[in-house]
Amino acid sequence: MKPNNQTTTSKLIPIILRYFTISVFLFLPLLLLLFSLQTTPSSTTTTTTTPGIRIRPGYASYESYIQKQLNKTLNPKLRHIWTTRDWDRKIRVFSTFFSHLKNSSFLTNSSKALCIGARVGQEVEALIRVGVRDSIGIDLVSCPPLVIHGDFHHQPFPDNTFDFEFTNVFDHALYPEKFVGEIERTLKPGGVCVLHVAISTRSDKYSANDLMGVDPLVKLFRGSQLIRVKKVDGFGLDTELIFRKRKLG
């Protein structure tokens, strides 16, 4: 006797529906998680774990943050100013500044130095002119031979590479903890980091964070000791901080 196809089908349908229902319940939490990740901007783009540092809103993704920074770095009018009218003036100011650091033994001719966020490389050229020839800069756009391509949230260098690092772009860091973590990672034990930051004044529209005081930076530099704080007039930045990475042991 041949089986009735209609009867067989009617028996299979409840079984299929039962397995389908079970699979939906099993995978529903995963589907909801994936949906939320796709539709909700990452909270890390608008918050920071360090009190006293406010991350500016408006970045839906890391890519949108990078694009905004590139809008400034690649601006043809700005790049023309940086390489012409501002070139000699900034080199003179930075040369004086680095010479004072040499006199205070924070920097020597044999130092291996890095300038973070160097754009067209005035800081690097100034270091070379005062005798620190093993110097290089990183920025989102390379400017050979002084500046190579690099993201300061993920420096393209091995651990313990530099004796000296300088930056005046802390306010451009979307992730201040990563920014400082990369500095401490690439500094040699005993190495020095010098930062120029804006505390009393508001930085420009391309800034990603606002720093409310010195203490938040001190908390970020967990592996370093604060050596000096003083007021400066650094192209719109008002405070200089010098940290020395603690030696092993």
Side-chain angles (χ1 to χ4, degrees), residues 98 102 107-115 121 123-137 145-147 162-164:
F98 290 134
K102 287 182 69 177
L107 183 64
T108 69
N109 286 350
S110 61
S111 295
K112 185 176 181 66
L114 172 68
C115 294
E123 305 97 316
V124 182
E125 178 65 23
L127 280 166
I128 293 171
R129 291 190 185 187
V130 301
V132 188
R133 298 191 176 279
D134 192 0
S135 302
I136 194 67
L146 301 176
V147 181
F162 298 100
D163 303 289
F164 176 87

Side-chain angles (χ1 to χ4, degrees), residues 3-247:
N4 189 311
N5 289 337
Q6 185 175 0
T7 303
T8 303
T9 302
S10 64
K11 290 181 179 179
L12 285 174
I13 289 175
I15 296 173
I16 294 172
L17 286 175
R18 184 166 66 249
Y19 280 108
F20 175 78
T21 303
I22 293 172
S23 65
V24 168
F25 277 105
L26 288 174
F27 286 101
L28 184 59
L30 179 59
L31 292 173
L32 290 174
L33 175 61
L34 292 174
F35 179 78
S36 67
L37 290 175
Q38 290 177 352
T39 57
T40 305
S42 173
S43 61
T44 56
T45 61
T46 57
T47 61
T48 176
T49 58
T50 305
I53 301 176
R54 184 180 69 87
I55 302 300
R56 296 185 182 182
Y59 299 107
S61 66
Y62 192 66
E63 289 72 21
S64 66
Y65 156 77
I66 291 293
Q67 186 56 55
K68 185 171 183 178
Q69 299 305 312
L70 287 173
N71 289 342
K72 180 176 183 178
T73 303
L74 291 174
N75 185 303
K77 292 183 179 179
L78 288 176
R79 292 190 77 82
H80 177 72
I81 292 172
W82 295 336
T83 55
T84 55
R85 187 186 72 191
D86 278 0
W87 181 257
D88 290 331
R89 179 173 67 94
K90 286 193 173 183
I91 288 175
R92 284 195 302 270
V93 171
F94 282 124
S95 294
T96 301
F97 161 64
F98 290 134
S99 293
H100 290 326
L101 290 177
K102 287 182 69 177
N103 292 337
S104 300
S105 300
F106 292 119
L107 183 64
T108 69
N109 286 350
S110 61
S111 295
K112 185 176 181 66
L114 172 68
C115 294
I116 302 167
R119 295 194 182 117
V120 295
Q122 297 106 323
E123 305 97 316
V124 182
E125 178 65 23
L127 280 166
I128 293 171
R129 291 190 185 187
V130 301
V132 188
R133 298 191 176 279
D134 192 0
S135 302
I136 194 67
I138 60 168
D139 203 276
L140 290 175
V141 179
S142 63
C143 188
L146 301 176
V147 181
I148 66 172
H149 173 265
D151 182 346
F152 52 49
H153 290 112
H154 306 280
Q155 286 190 26
F157 307 108
D159 297 356
N160 307 321
T161 298
F162 298 100
D163 303 289
F164 176 87
E165 297 191 25
F166 169 76
T167 183
N168 55 10
V169 296
F170 175 81
D171 58 300
H172 287 241
L174 185 62
Y175 302 106
E177 295 88 349
K178 287 187 177 181
F179 181 90
V180 171
E182 285 295 275
I183 290 174
E184 291 195 315
R185 180 183 69 79
T186 56
L187 268 180
K188 297 177 182 178
V192 168
C193 175
V194 179
L195 300 95
H196 285 180
V197 297
I199 294 178
S200 303
T201 59
R202 185 175 175 83
S203 47
D204 68 27
K205 66 180 181 179
Y206 293 98
S207 298
N209 73 72
D210 294 298
L211 180 63
M212 309 304 178
V214 171
D215 287 345
L217 261 180
V218 174
K219 291 177 181 178
L220 288 182
F221 277 86
R222 298 180 180 89
S224 305
Q225 180 182 2
L226 179 63
I227 302 297
R228 188 169 80 186
V229 180
K230 74 172 186 178
K231 292 295 180 181
V232 294
D233 182 10
F235 303 108
L237 306 177
D238 54 46
T239 305
E240 175 185 289
L241 297 94
I242 301 180
F243 291 89
R244 188 184 298 277
K245 182 176 176 179
R246 295 186 180 91
K247 295 183 178 181

